């Protein structure tokens, strides 16, 4: 494996690890008028090939948007990590997969259960992503900012990588 391949694999693994650590994201779809529409979604699983799984109701606007235009964007954030994933979404009707991913969190939103015909899965396959990660606490980030101000050197806010998936 070349250094470039090794580095790319490492960045992809890091993006996957960071995304898996963030439960909620904003999923942005495109409506029929071409307007971007974002809503919070809880992913159920992130695979090592940059696939994220979500539950949705068959008759929801997000499902209609994805059926008309599969291009989506996912954004995730915490106090020290920010992630953006560009990709395509597809509506998946797979009761076995729905049962595999089902959990109390989903049941709170969809009490009808994974076998109900109104329940579908959304699989988002990332094509590219970018992450910003500032390991450590807010205190260490604050100290880094102070150091940059005192020394006049540019703030090194941590790790930032763009990844083709």
């Amino acid at each position: 494996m070349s250094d470039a391949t090794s580095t790319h694999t490492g960045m992809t693994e890091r993006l996957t690890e960071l995304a898996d650590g963030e439960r909620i994201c904003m999923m942005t779809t495109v409506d029929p008028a071409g307007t971007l529409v974002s809503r919070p979604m809880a992913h159920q699983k992130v695979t090592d090939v940059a696939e994220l799984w979500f539950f949705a109701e068959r008759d929801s606007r997000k499902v209609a948007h994805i059926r008309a235009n599969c291009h989506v964007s996912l954004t995730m954030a915490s106090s020290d990590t920010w992630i953006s994933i560009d990709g395509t979404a597809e509506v998946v009707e797979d009761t076995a997969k729905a049962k595999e991913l089902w959990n109390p969190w989903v049941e709170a939103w969809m009490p009808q259960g994974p076998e109900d015909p109104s329940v579908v899965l959304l699989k988002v396959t990332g094509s590219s992503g970018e992450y910003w990660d500032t390991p450590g606490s807010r205190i260490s980030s604050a100290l880094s900012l102070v150091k940059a101000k005192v020394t006049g050197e540019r703030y090194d806010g941590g790790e930032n990588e763009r990844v083709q998936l």
Side-chain angles (χ1 to χ4, degrees), residues 57-76:
E57 301 231 20
R58 180 182 308 278
D59 295 333
S60 65
R61 285 185 315 141
K62 67 185 135 292
V63 168
H65 293 175
I66 289 167
R67 289 188 192 279
N69 183 340
C70 65
H71 188 202
V72 299
S73 176
L74 305 175
T75 54
M76 304 170 199

Side-chain angles (χ1 to χ4, degrees), residues 4-124:
T5 303
S6 174
T7 301
H8 179 267
T9 300
M11 290 186 305
T12 302
E13 289 172 354
R14 183 69 177 138
L15 176 66
T16 300
E17 174 188 347
L18 291 170
D20 198 33
E22 302 298 327
R23 179 75 174 184
I24 305 293
C25 72
M26 293 298 287
M27 177 186 284
T28 303
T29 57
V30 182
D31 77 6
T35 302
L36 299 174
V37 180
S38 299
R39 83 274 297 148
M41 298 283 292
H43 67 76
Q44 304 308 309
K45 183 175 184 178
V46 179
T47 69
D48 60 355
V49 290
E51 291 177 349
L52 292 91
W53 289 87
F54 302 85
F55 280 93
E57 301 231 20
R58 180 182 308 278
D59 295 333
S60 65
R61 285 185 315 141
K62 67 185 135 292
V63 168
H65 293 175
I66 289 167
R67 289 188 192 279
N69 183 340
C70 65
H71 188 202
V72 299
S73 176
L74 305 175
T75 54
M76 304 170 199
S78 68
S79 62
D80 57 1
T81 302
W82 299 268
I83 303 163
S84 173
I85 298 173
D86 181 66
T88 56
E90 63 181 288
V91 179
V92 177
E93 298 181 37
D94 183 339
T95 303
K97 186 70 171 177
K99 286 180 180 179
E100 173 193 329
L101 297 174
W102 198 259
N103 61 66
W105 179 276
V106 177
E107 193 166 7
W109 291 97
M110 299 178 162
Q112 65 268 43
E115 296 175 338
D116 190 279
S118 67
V119 175
V120 295
L121 293 166
L122 302 177
K123 180 174 86 169
V124 175

